[in-house]
Amino acid sequence: MARAKGSPIAWAVLALLALLVGNVVVTPGFLSVRVQDGHLYGSVVDILRNGAPVMIVALGMTLVIATRGIDLSVGAVAAIAGSVACVSIAGAEDPTSAGAAVVAMTTALALCIVLGLWNGFLVSVLGIQPIIATLVLMTAGRGIAQLVTGGNITTVTNSAFRQLGAGYLLVPVAVLVVAAAILLVWGTTRRTALGTFVESVGINPEASRLAGVRSRTIVFTVYVFSAFCAGLAGLMIASNVSSADANSIGLYLEMDAILAVVIGGTSLAGGRYSLPGTVVGALLIQTLTTTVYTAGIPTQVTLVFKAVVVIAVCLLQSPRARAVLVRRRAPRPLVPEARASGDAPAPSAALPDPLDASGGDAGGPSSSSAHKVAQP
Amino acid sequence: MRGITIGFPGVKALQDVDFRLFPGEVHALMGENGAGKSTLIKALTGVYAVDAGEVRVGGRAVRFAGPGAAQDAGVSTVYQEVNLCPNLTVAENIMLGREPRRFGAVDGRAMRARARTLLERMGLGIDPGSTLGSHPIAVQQLVAIARAVEVDCRVLILDEPTSSLDADEVAELFRVMRGLRDEGVAILFVSHFLDQVYEIADRMTVLRNGRLVGEHLTRDLGRLQLVSAMVGRDLDALEAVEARAHAAGEAAESAPPLLRAERLGRKGSIEPFDLEVRAGEVVGLAGLLGSGRTEMARLLFGADRPDTGRLLLDGQPLRLRSPRSAIAAGIAFSSEDRKGEGIVGDLSVRDNLVLAMQASRGWARPIPRRTADELVEKWVEALDIRPANPDAPVRNLSGGNQQKVLLARWLVTEPRLLVLDEPTRGIDVGAKLQIQKLVADLAAQGMAVVYVSTELEEVVRLAHRVVVLRDRRKVGELEGADVSVGDVMEMIASSGAAGLLAEEAS
Amino acid sequence: GGGDGGSTAASGGDGTITMGFAQVGAESGWRTANTKSVQEAAEEAGIELKFSDAQQKQENQIKAIRSYIQQKVDVIAFSPVVETGWDTVLLEAKRAGIPVILTDRAVDSEDESLYETFLGSDFVEEGKKAGEWLVEEVGSEPTSVVELQGTTGAAPAIDRQEGFAEAVAGSPNIQVVASQTGDFTRTGGKQVMEAFLKSQPDIDVVYAHNDDMGLGAIEAIEAAGKVPGKDIKIITVDAVKDGMQALADGKINFIVECNPLLGDQLMELAEKVVAGEEVEKRVVTEETTFTQEQAVEALPTREY
Amino acid sequence: MTTPQLAPEGPRTERAPARPRTAPRGARFVPPQRFVPVIATFVLFVAMFGAGSARYEGFGDPQVFLTLFVDNAYLIVLAVGMTFVILTGGIDLSVGSVVALTGMVASWALQEGWSAPVVIAAVLLMGTAFGLVQGAIIAVFDIQPFIVTLAGLFFARGLCYLISTESFPIRDDTFISLASGSLELPGGYYVSYTAVAAVAVVAVAAFVLHLTRFGRTVYAIGGSEASAVLMGLQVRRTKIAVYAVSGLCASLGGLLFALYSLSGYPLAALGMELDAIAAVVIGGTLLSGGVGFVVGSMLGVLVFGTILTLINFDGTLSSWWTRIVIGALLLAFIVMQRAFLRARA
Ligand SMILES: Nc1ncnc2c1ncn2[C@@H]1O[C@H](COP(=O)(O)OP(=O)(O)OP(=O)(O)O)[C@@H](O)[C@H]1O
Ligand SMILES: Nc1ncnc2c1ncn2[C@@H]1O[C@H](COP(=O)(O)OP(=O)(O)OP(=O)(O)O)[C@@H](O)[C@H]1O
Ligand SMILES: [Mg+2]
Ligand SMILES: [Mg+2]
């Protein structure tokens, strides 16, 4: 939807900027970036680098959500990828060689593709509701990851592997990888018909099927891509600290990713999606986390602070909220309903203004909220 | 209603329209697709906020905050697209919001009983406890009407209630409407069937492009006058279509069959049937509501899988595993359920129009933007799709224009066999003629067409051969230029009698 | 399903002891070592072990204990996820005549008869040891400390914070300038430390509630161009192998041990309890602390 | 054109008896089929329980079955509230945190010396208000429920920390007697009051959903929100109410949980919202709304509980195998459920 309208992203960007400005007020050097040991160094760089895993997972999640699905397994898949890679490196003949790192990462990503196929199979062939289908892997996946590491934290010292999550080519390598992935997805969905098909399957699966769209293949593809992204994220996380902790890699990653997608203006009911929105959403979430650390917000207050910011951003974004809040200041009272007698005509203020065309649409796939629909 | 103006971003849907509705009359609201009829209705019932103008009920200015408020004020409405809940039962859909209660609890039995009487009043014998979604669109439309009639209303608004009903149902509906009118209810009626309008309406208001053209008593306004008022120009005569259609038919007769169905059937949906379609021929499927036309059409396209029989294309066996394989074989199918199985609402007109073509090319070979725009331009003009904005989400188009987009979606794939299920549903007179002409032209150019319509007239006029169905069984075929509506109905009725006899015998 | 526990369900009559052990989860390497130690010790002692993993959820642990009662095991041992809320289920065990041993964490109950004994570390004490070392190390020099806390609300996090604060309370020159949760993970430790390095101009000491966060902090410090162990001193708790390695390498300055290898002690206690012998109400596991020199020595024999 | 006048040929009722349409056209169900998912869940639950009894000694004891209710009373109540929300096509992620918050507030207030009935009333009110506010934000400002309730999750959990990061024991006599009190059944079996309360909640919810206008509106909104609006139903009000119901159930579940563990703990019920959602969906409710039953949700919880009980009885699984086996059993269950539904379709 956001892609169609543009404005919700603008509001998310505004919120992001506001957060950054707030940080500068609290920590004056927040935006400063210097070169340190041949790479950029600063809070903003941290935000980008630490936000990379969420961003890439959110990228895959966006497409899944656009097909009316959801992928809860990304955190577990990330854990599997990280664990497999580290265990593979640790078990290689020369655990410090670049070759071992390449083999390990390839193995891990290949495995992730298999896991994605598995999710796709459950959803599109067996027709299981996505949330439950991916819950299976969410539950079992972390167990598999622990099985791989034997429940221990597997530490590796491999400089090639380190590059992905902790390395720099002036800017963090992880950021470059994510940027490349975003451009790739953006290009592919724009330059091919994939984006249209994904949306069309998400908006009206039956109509798409009758129009000859290979909806099954599309669904498979998005889950495989999502798992692949999750795998990359897992590798980044493991590489960042050169170790695999099957228990903590990608914990709550699914929630963060979904939150990023939703803040970015994509509806969970499927259909229209916005990649730029997702990117902004992911940045917003990471900025929030970094803010908490940097601004010295006490741990007890952290969550309340997060909640308040999230709600504020959403209120800002919601056209109806803006309309209502603006109207509130107007002197005319809000009369919710005109009764049968008709003697108390409600002012038009009770009705949403034309801005409201996007209509939210969280109410399920069939709620094609029409323009200007006023609810009783 | 006075001076009603409503604008959507980019479109002025209504401009300064006055409209009056008196108790005890049936008032037809006429206009082309996209003229603003549905929008006017939604303004009246509070779905849309009006930008200017006022609504008065019983002389008092009102402004309904929403459909609920309108309902409470005695304005009962059937909106154009079926707006019910497919997951609930028929009875629940009819009674939602005003369920009978006993000891504070909803009384299911009373609810079903009340629903059953209402349905019977509409001439509908379905089980009120059955789930709404399991019924075809036509039945759903009747249920929606039953819901509206249930309310003790002063004003009844029906937006194209008859678009998928057959003559029988329409007659039944009119009986109900007349009854209500005689009780003093004011009825607003929208239809693109002129015959129906002339049969039932006392007065009509004509809209064109969101503006009021005029208000007339039905008896003062002849059909041709009405049509030219709606369209703004004169129409060619219908005969031309008919002549052309049959000229093409002669040639087709000698051609070998393009598609053959042998004992094709599906348990619980349609009994095995044989069917031949030749290139350059229009085959009409005729039958009453629920006779199995849609089922037959879906089997031909592979939308449902048959469990007996087989299909032959050019004499070669053809296995249809999915709509996709049918499209690859050159078969196209336009569903009767526009909202549920047709449009992809949030996508633009352009994307909707080229969707099938794009799907058959695969995702990796996108249709170049230029080509897409050319196609869109061509078909928007050919079918007169309005507004002619390829970027508008298709869900914002008026019902008739959505239907045209769907038709165009299939025409751009240049199929060899085109299966059309109710292609003219909700389409105005002018556009209907255009579409019929188009079908005839396509047949003349060698395309095979299977044509389903509730309007027997239309089927008979267009088709070279009419396949008659009854009770989910093919009961016969009528061929030749001189098939009449009467012939078809006779076959339906007689086979019915035969069927009854057979049942009695067994 | 796996395993073949079907026919060998607990009986207690045939002389072998059956123990139900409800573990917290497998949330860290420490915990895994703890589990392994219990399992191996049980095998060695010839005790049949019914193991369950609660995945950090108290309700799962309660369910597990209930199911042990229903299976009529001889003794129940568990590491409580949280200190409170065990009275009901422990009462059920008591009524069923099944003795209970707590490991690793205590429960907060007024009725001490609900369990036989508590075997485990004292987290407050660990925090204290860390603080005391720091007080001695820095003397009267002004020192700013940043603290990497464990998971908010988790008992070790609360106690280690408390113990440390207690120990440094008498030295006004030592200031905890920032404290934030790193969720006991390396990634968390690294991210929090990165932020601290930017918001706090001069940090002298990092106190991390476990080794993993300390290891994460090392990475952040190195990326900032500083030398861990020298420019910024690091104190951690746990003494897992990776931590000891870093200590030996001079990147960490001091580690307080928290010993997960309770298995043998637990089995010993279990046998006594089942036999009806008196046992101490509180058995503290042997724990020590490590400096860099001690680490070099201890490293080769480190098991976990 | 002339409208062809058909001679009516006999009563229409006999023309086409409503036969089930077997074509898979979207989610179309025929009456008996509406119940099939619940029936499938029930049958598979019985099968699963039977398999457990055959495999593990003592599993077949009726008390094991009753204990399922005792151990999962709070989750049943949560799932009931969640069912309301999911039926409208929404979702409520805040319930787990609200459970924790309820426990914290209750135990804190008891420690402050409030009397038990006051505490109970206060926390129930608090939960309802919490849900109400969430619902209002969702319905009035038209923001996706996922975000709003996720913020609610953060907020409620954050409030727990603000009250205290440590856990509080509950030592109030009323609470203790409620917690340990149980209904004796013939044969020496028992169920706790909390389990009885949970089943009562299911019954009340079933009544509300099926026999009140509010309940019917809930289903209508899930079927098609736009249609519900056009039908003149109180869509906005109902959506708000549904979240209030979920909040009420969450705080009631929180009370049951507090009784279950006799304490308040800020980290309690972490991720419990997912368990509740999963139970609801396993019980045959469609996440897209409009289809499902509370009884199904209760069965979903029992299935979940049975899986855990199976694992506890096995007692040989290491931590990671526990997770894998839970996943595998879950998978086996939903695949069988699917097969069952396919066979019926
Ligand atoms: N939600 C909307 N947003 C933007 N434009 C709209 C919307 N709804 C309707 N329109 C436009 O308003 C005009 C009038 O549409 P309306 O549905 O009233 O036509 P109609 O007379 O009912 O036509 P039909 O006979 O095809 O049903 C059309 O141009 C349509 O595209
Ligand atoms: N008047 C009626 N009474 C009972 N059932 C009906 C009636 N009309 C239609 N049906 C239902 O219609 C279904 C078959 O519809 P189908 O779509 O095959 O017919 P159709 O000939 O395409 O009709 P149409 O397209 O006009 O709806 C059956 O499920 C039947 O129950
Ligand atoms: Mg219209
Ligand atoms: Mg049909």
Side-chain angles (χ1 to χ4, degrees):
Chain A
M1 291 197 162
R3 201 167 92 187
K5 308 235 346 133
S7 76
I9 301 185
W11 288 98
V13 171
L14 206 71
L16 182 60
L17 291 180
L19 211 52
L20 289 176
V21 169
N23 265 305
V24 173
V25 172
V26 180
T27 320
F30 192 80
L31 289 181
S32 71
V33 174
R34 62 183 156 91
V35 176
Q36 159 90 44
D37 299 337
H39 63 76
L40 296 180
Y41 179 88
S43 295
V44 182
V45 183
D46 286 351
I47 291 177
L48 287 174
R49 189 170 51 87
N50 290 329
V54 173
M55 211 179 288
I56 198 160
V57 171
L59 194 65
M61 189 71 82
T62 309
L63 297 183
V64 172
I65 288 179
T67 63
R68 256 189 217 186
I70 199 154
D71 188 351
L72 292 183
S73 70
V74 287
V77 171
I80 293 178
S83 307
V84 167
C86 285
V87 168
S88 155
I89 291 175
E93 260 170 44
D94 177 7
T96 56
S97 69
V102 171
V103 170
M105 293 200 274
T106 317
T107 319
L109 290 178
L111 188 61
C112 290
I113 289 178
V114 174
L115 295 174
L117 284 170
W118 164 257
N119 278 337
F121 172 78
L122 290 184
V123 173
S124 77
V125 178
L126 295 189
I128 294 170
Q129 295 193 57
I131 196 167
I132 280 295
T134 54
L135 182 74
V136 170
L137 193 53
M138 181 192 185
T139 314
R142 208 162 277 284
I144 295 171
Q146 284 181 315
L147 186 68
V148 170
T149 60
N152 299 311
I153 296 178
T154 310
T155 308
V156 296
T157 34
N158 183 311
S159 57
F161 181 61
R162 240 187 104 77
Q163 285 306 309
L164 180 63
Y168 288 88
L169 290 171
L170 189 62
V171 284
V173 174
V175 175
L176 294 178
V177 171
V178 172
I182 292 170
L183 285 181
L184 189 85
V185 174
W186 203 69
T188 323
T189 49
R190 278 298 176 100
R191 287 292 164 86
T192 71
L194 208 57
T196 313
F197 286 174
V198 164
E199 288 187 339
S200 136
V201 167
I203 297 166
N204 192 338
E206 184 59 12
S208 308
R209 187 181 82 94
L210 289 178
V213 175
R214 280 183 208 269
S215 42
R216 193 171 279 188
T217 317
I218 298 284
V219 171
F220 257 113
T221 313
V222 295
Y223 281 96
V224 168
F225 181 67
S226 171
F228 181 80
C229 287
L232 262 181
L235 292 181
M236 282 177 193
I237 297 170
S239 147
N240 185 23
V241 289
S242 285
S243 64
D245 178 355
N247 219 343
S248 80
I249 293 180
L251 203 59
Y252 304 123
L253 193 56
E254 57 283 340
M255 282 296 163
D256 281 346
I258 298 170
L259 185 59
V261 173
V262 177
I263 286 185
T266 300
S267 160
L268 276 178
R272 295 241 121 177
Y273 63 88
S274 158
L275 289 178
T278 296
V279 172
V280 174
L283 282 178
L284 193 73
I285 290 171
Q286 186 59 43
T287 310
L288 202 54
T289 311
T290 306
T291 304
V292 166
Y293 297 155
T294 313
I297 293 175
T299 42
Q300 294 93 320
V301 190
T302 308
L303 281 176
V304 174
F305 173 72
K306 269 193 177 177
V308 171
V309 172
V310 168
I311 278 295
V313 171
C314 293
L315 284 177
L316 259 183
Q317 273 180 343
S318 151
R320 196 188 288 173
R322 286 202 304 275
V324 171
L325 294 178
V326 168
R327 294 275 162 84
R328 273 272 147 78
R329 267 185 264 124
R332 279 185 292 178
L334 273 170
V335 179
E337 214 172 335
R339 278 279 138 216
S341 62
D343 51 16
S348 65
L351 297 166
D353 70 359
L355 268 176
D356 190 28
S358 75
D361 220 7
S366 47
S367 70
S368 52
S369 57
H371 180 87
K372 283 185 169 185
V373 166
Q375 295 188 352
Chain B
M1 302 175 85
R2 208 172 293 156
I4 299 292
T5 300
I6 287 190
F8 298 115
V11 196
K12 264 251 179 296
L14 287 177
Q15 256 174 306
D16 200 17
V17 174
D18 297 339
F19 178 76
R20 305 183 297 165
L21 183 61
F22 295 100
E25 72 162 353
V26 175
H27 191 140
L29 186 57
M30 303 299 293
E32 285 182 287
N33 293 133
K37 305 178 293 292
S38 302
T39 307
L40 184 72
I41 287 171
K42 288 186 177 168
L44 177 61
T45 59
V47 178
Y48 294 161
V50 294
D51 297 341
E54 62 169 358
V55 180
R56 287 165 167 274
V57 176
R60 239 181 309 180
V62 293
R63 191 160 249 169
F64 299 124
Q71 229 173 61
D72 292 342
V75 180
S76 181
T77 315
V78 176
Y79 296 95
Q80 183 171 7
E81 300 295 339
V82 171
N83 276 294
L84 297 174
C85 298
N87 58 324
L88 300 180
T89 65
V90 170
E92 284 169 338
N93 267 295
I94 293 176
M95 308 297 294
L96 258 179
R98 40 174 191 270
E99 295 90 344
R101 282 186 284 200
R102 237 174 88 207
F103 310 123
V106 171
D107 184 350
R109 191 172 309 158
M111 188 161 82
R112 278 191 295 277
R114 175 103 187 85
R116 192 187 304 276
T117 42
L118 272 165
L119 290 172
E120 265 157 22
R121 187 163 157 203
M122 304 294 317
L124 203 56
I126 55 172
D127 173 13
S130 58
T131 311
L132 182 83
S134 65
H135 295 287
I137 283 292
V139 174
Q140 297 189 19
Q141 205 163 40
L142 285 169
V143 173
I145 297 169
R147 174 180 167 82
V149 172
E150 204 277 341
V151 196
D152 195 15
C153 59
R154 290 194 288 159
V155 179
L156 176 64
I157 301 175
L158 302 168
D159 194 355
E160 298 196 27
T162 54
S163 62
S164 53
L165 302 189
D166 66 18
D168 225 3
E169 264 68 28
V170 172
E172 209 75 51
L173 173 63
F174 282 2
R175 205 173 38 74
V176 174
M177 279 167 66
R178 287 199 186 96
L180 289 170
R181 175 182 63 189
D182 297 342
E183 288 166 22
V185 174
I187 299 178
L188 170 56
F189 177 72
V190 177
S191 172
H192 290 295
F193 297 103
L194 299 190
D195 291 316
Q196 295 176 2
V197 172
Y198 275 93
E199 188 186 338
I200 189 92
D202 303 311
R203 260 181 336 136
M204 43 188 141
T205 294
V206 183
L207 294 179
R208 189 166 69 226
N209 287 333
R211 287 171 191 281
L212 180 70
V213 176
E215 190 201 79
H216 309 268
L217 287 176
T218 309
R219 57 173 182 275
D220 294 347
L221 191 69
R223 283 173 199 228
L224 279 179
Q225 281 170 292
L226 169 64
V227 171
S228 51
M230 280 162 57
V231 183
R233 63 194 136 86
D234 289 328
L235 284 175
D236 354 346
L238 312 182
E239 281 78 82
V241 182
E242 206 157 356
R244 211 174 324 176
H246 287 285
E250 317 283 75
E253 249 159 61
S254 51
L258 172 71
L259 188 79
R260 251 175 87 107
E262 288 176 356
R263 309 304 304 152
L264 201 64
R266 185 183 157 93
K267 260 238 266 326
S269 114
I270 186 158
E271 281 172 37
F273 63 90
D274 291 330
L275 185 73
E276 269 182 19
V277 190
R278 299 190 194 92
E281 182 189 40
V282 179
V283 175
L285 303 188
L288 299 177
L289 201 64
S291 57
R293 295 162 300 177
T294 297
E295 266 64 14
M296 185 180 270
R298 287 176 69 89
L299 283 185
L300 293 179
F301 180 62
D304 297 335
R305 277 199 218 179
D307 44 21
T308 62
R310 59 176 189 160
L311 271 176
L312 297 165
L313 184 75
D314 293 327
Q316 302 295 318
L318 174 69
R319 261 185 56 80
L320 295 180
R321 266 163 287 109
S322 64
R324 233 188 117 66
S325 45
I327 295 166
I331 308 176
F333 167 74
S334 163
S335 161
E336 65 179 338
D337 184 357
R338 177 163 67 214
K339 191 172 161 190
E341 300 179 342
I343 62 163
V344 182
D346 283 337
L347 287 189
S348 65
V349 170
R350 179 191 300 107
D351 288 342
N352 267 282
L353 206 144
V354 299
L355 186 64
M357 186 186 189
Q358 180 64 67
S360 64
R361 287 169 66 115
W363 66 270
R365 294 196 304 135
I367 298 170
R369 182 62 174 251
R370 273 245 312 282
T371 320
D373 281 339
E374 278 164 16
L375 283 173
V376 172
E377 199 177 323
K378 173 178 161 201
W379 287 106
V380 163
E381 200 191 299
L383 296 177
D384 191 21
I385 296 171
R386 280 182 249 172
N389 170 14
D391 289 313
V394 77
R395 107 181 107 82
N396 286 352
L397 261 54
S398 78
N401 282 305
Q402 290 177 1
Q403 186 66 45
K404 294 185 201 167
V405 172
L406 289 183
L407 208 60
R409 173 192 289 175
W410 292 110
L411 292 177
V412 297
T413 63
E414 298 178 351
R416 300 173 68 195
L417 170 65
L418 182 59
V419 182
L420 299 173
D421 195 357
E422 313 277 3
T424 49
R425 189 182 150 213
I427 292 226
D428 68 44
V429 244
K432 190 179 280 180
L433 272 183
Q434 261 172 328
I435 287 172
Q436 291 173 358
K437 212 181 292 172
L438 190 79
V439 168
D441 283 347
L442 289 170
Q445 287 158 27
M447 192 184 287
V449 179
V450 173
Y451 199 96
V452 182
S453 172
T454 34
E455 225 185 319
L456 281 183
E457 282 268 350
E458 191 185 17
V459 176
V460 167
R461 175 146 29 89
L462 264 176
H464 305 118
R465 205 141 46 84
V466 178
V467 172
V468 182
L469 290 104
R470 191 197 147 89
D471 290 341
R472 300 153 177 270
R473 214 154 21 93
K474 175 178 167 185
V475 291
E477 273 184 31
L478 295 165
E479 201 157 352
D482 37 351
V483 176
S484 71
V485 171
D487 296 339
V488 175
M489 283 193 300
E490 200 172 303
M491 180 172 267
I492 295 174
S494 66
S495 68
L500 280 180
L501 283 179
E503 266 170 44
E504 265 166 33
S506 64
Chain C
D4 55 353
S7 51
T8 58
S11 58
D14 55 3
T16 53
I17 297 175
T18 309
M19 170 192 270
F21 183 69
Q23 179 60 288
V24 172
E27 74 279 12
S28 61
W30 189 94
R31 187 65 64 189
T32 306
N34 178 249
T35 304
K36 216 183 268 169
S37 153
V38 170
Q39 282 168 336
E40 282 169 3
E43 195 160 327
E44 232 166 78
I47 291 179
E48 191 189 328
L49 188 70
K50 292 239 151 207
F51 176 83
S52 84
D53 174 288
Q55 300 179 29
Q56 287 92 261
K57 289 183 182 162
Q58 180 178 23
E59 61 270 26
N60 287 355
Q61 257 183 338
I62 296 181
K63 283 172 203 169
I65 295 171
R66 283 239 163 89
S67 113
Y68 292 147
I69 297 172
Q70 275 162 1
Q71 295 178 61
K72 307 188 174 65
V73 296
D74 300 310
V75 53
I76 293 174
F78 74 107
S79 309
V81 172
V82 50
E83 289 177 355
T84 52
W86 299 101
D87 295 22
T88 328
V89 68
L90 290 187
L91 199 65
E92 279 174 39
K94 190 178 169 187
R95 283 209 201 111
I98 302 174
V100 173
I101 303 175
L102 307 176
T103 69
D104 182 33
R105 291 178 200 177
V107 301
D108 174 7
S109 173
E110 281 173 344
D111 182 1
E112 291 219 327
S113 72
L114 289 179
Y115 59 89
E116 300 300 321
T117 177
F118 162 44
L119 164 71
S121 343
D122 186 336
F123 301 137
V124 179
E125 189 58 36
E126 290 164 1
K128 253 190 215 155
K129 286 182 192 165
E132 281 158 6
W133 178 82
L134 183 64
V135 169
E136 198 158 302
E137 177 78 5
V138 298
S140 61
E141 246 172 81
T143 309
S144 33
V145 180
V146 293
E147 184 180 31
L148 301 177
Q149 297 177 25
T151 308
T152 312
I158 295 168
D159 292 351
R160 286 173 190 167
Q161 181 175 27
E162 187 186 316
F164 184 81
E166 217 171 281
V168 300
S171 321
N173 57 318
I174 298 178
Q175 283 293 324
V176 177
V177 292
S179 180
Q180 187 56 250
T181 174
D183 281 320
F184 282 134
T185 64
R186 285 191 203 184
T187 314
K190 181 169 181 181
Q191 280 199 26
V192 173
M193 194 61 206
E194 279 170 354
F196 283 170
L197 284 165
K198 272 132 212 160
S199 62
Q200 302 298 332
D202 28 44
I203 299 170
D204 302 309
V205 174
V206 176
Y207 167 48
H209 287 184
N210 77 348
D211 287 346
D212 286 326
M213 288 190 292
L215 292 168
I218 291 174
E219 302 232 358
I221 294 169
E222 282 173 344
K226 297 191 173 165
V227 183
K230 301 233 160 47
D231 298 342
I232 297 178
K233 292 197 168 64
I234 301 177
I235 310 168
T236 67
V237 185
D238 265 6
V240 297
K241 202 166 189 174
D242 284 344
M244 292 292 276
Q245 182 69 53
L247 184 63
D249 294 347
K251 292 180 175 176
I252 294 182
N253 301 70
F254 186 68
I255 299 187
V256 178
E257 187 189 35
C258 179
N259 188 1
L261 306 181
L262 314 169
D264 291 325
Q265 270 177 297
L266 175 63
M267 296 310 146
E268 225 170 89
L269 284 172
E271 278 164 358
K272 278 191 196 158
V273 162
V274 172
E277 291 171 35
E278 270 298 306
V279 291
E280 295 241 6
K281 217 49 224 186
R282 174 82 172 91
V283 182
V284 181
T285 45
E286 290 148 24
E287 282 168 347
T288 164
T289 58
F290 295 98
T291 59
Q292 291 176 345
E293 300 76 40
Q294 289 165 324
V296 176
E297 258 169 60
L299 195 57
T301 59
R302 207 71 192 154
E303 285 178 55
Y304 58 95
Chain D
M1 286 195 279
T2 49
T3 309
Q5 285 296 328
L6 265 182
E9 4 122 35
R12 202 75 58 79
T13 30
E14 66 169 46
R15 183 164 73 179
R19 271 167 289 179
R21 183 197 285 270
T22 43
R25 286 203 210 171
R28 291 182 172 179
F29 292 90
V30 196
Q33 203 132 21
R34 254 180 310 176
F35 301 105
V36 170
V38 175
I39 297 169
T41 313
F42 180 71
V43 169
L44 289 173
F45 166 68
V46 171
M48 192 172 224
F49 208 84
S53 317
R55 189 171 170 85
Y56 302 111
E57 199 179 305
F59 196 100
D61 188 343
Q63 189 57 50
V64 173
F65 174 74
L66 293 175
T67 309
L68 273 184
F69 284 88
V70 175
D71 279 344
N72 295 294
Y74 56 90
L75 198 53
I76 290 177
V77 175
L78 286 192
V80 166
M82 189 67 80
T83 310
F84 276 81
V85 175
I86 291 183
L87 280 176
T88 65
I91 199 153
D92 188 351
L93 298 176
S94 70
V95 292
S97 298
V98 173
V99 165
L101 182 60
T102 306
M104 286 303 283
V105 170
S107 52
W108 171 81
L110 287 172
Q111 243 176 27
E112 294 289 300
W114 298 27
S115 77
V118 175
V119 170
I120 291 175
V123 291
L124 292 182
L125 208 67
M126 176 197 73
T128 313
F130 194 89
L132 201 72
V133 171
Q134 292 191 126
I137 295 178
I138 290 164
V140 176
F141 297 133
D142 205 8
I143 303 178
Q144 295 197 47
F146 184 91
I147 290 203
V148 174
T149 57
L150 187 63
L153 179 156
F154 292 154
F155 193 76
R157 185 72 65 185
L159 288 183
C160 291
Y161 292 147
L162 284 181
I163 294 173
S164 165
T165 51
E166 291 185 54
S167 65
F168 285 116
I170 292 179
R171 303 242 157 81
D172 179 85
D173 290 334
T174 320
F175 269 69
I176 290 176
S177 60
L178 281 178
S180 51
S182 61
L183 211 62
E184 304 294 331
L185 300 179
Y189 302 117
Y190 72 93
V191 279
S192 65
Y193 289 156
T194 52
V196 176
V199 174
V201 168
V202 172
V204 171
F207 175 85
V208 169
L209 276 178
H210 297 284
L211 295 176
T212 66
R213 282 189 187 169
F214 167 68
R216 301 324 297 162
T217 309
V218 168
Y219 276 93
I221 293 174
S224 168
E225 188 171 338
S227 294
V229 171
L230 290 181
M231 282 198 233
L233 302 177
Q234 301 281 11
V235 171
R236 189 178 293 182
R237 214 174 285 177
T238 307
K239 276 174 82 176
I240 296 176
V242 150
Y243 287 91
V245 167
S246 179
L248 173 64
C249 285
S251 55
L252 186 58
L255 267 181
L256 296 186
F257 191 77
L259 289 174
Y260 186 63
S261 64
L262 275 182
S263 65
Y265 178 41
L267 287 181
L270 265 185
M272 199 180 277
E273 57 281 346
L274 254 171
D275 292 350
I277 295 169
V280 171
V281 177
I282 288 173
T285 300
L286 290 188
L287 215 51
S288 45
V291 179
F293 303 95
V294 271
V295 175
S297 303
M298 185 182 81
L299 286 171
V301 172
L302 295 184
V303 167
F304 236 72
T306 311
I307 290 179
L308 280 187
T309 311
L310 279 174
I311 283 170
N312 281 334
F313 265 80
D314 189 275
T316 58
L317 297 176
S318 65
S319 298
W320 31 97
W321 278 111
T322 301
R323 284 183 170 163
I324 297 173
V325 170
I326 291 178
L329 288 177
L330 195 62
L331 175 74
F333 185 85
I334 55 180
V335 168
M336 281 195 294
Q337 191 183 36
R338 200 66 220 159
F340 197 107
L341 296 181
R342 285 254 166 113
R344 276 305 180 87

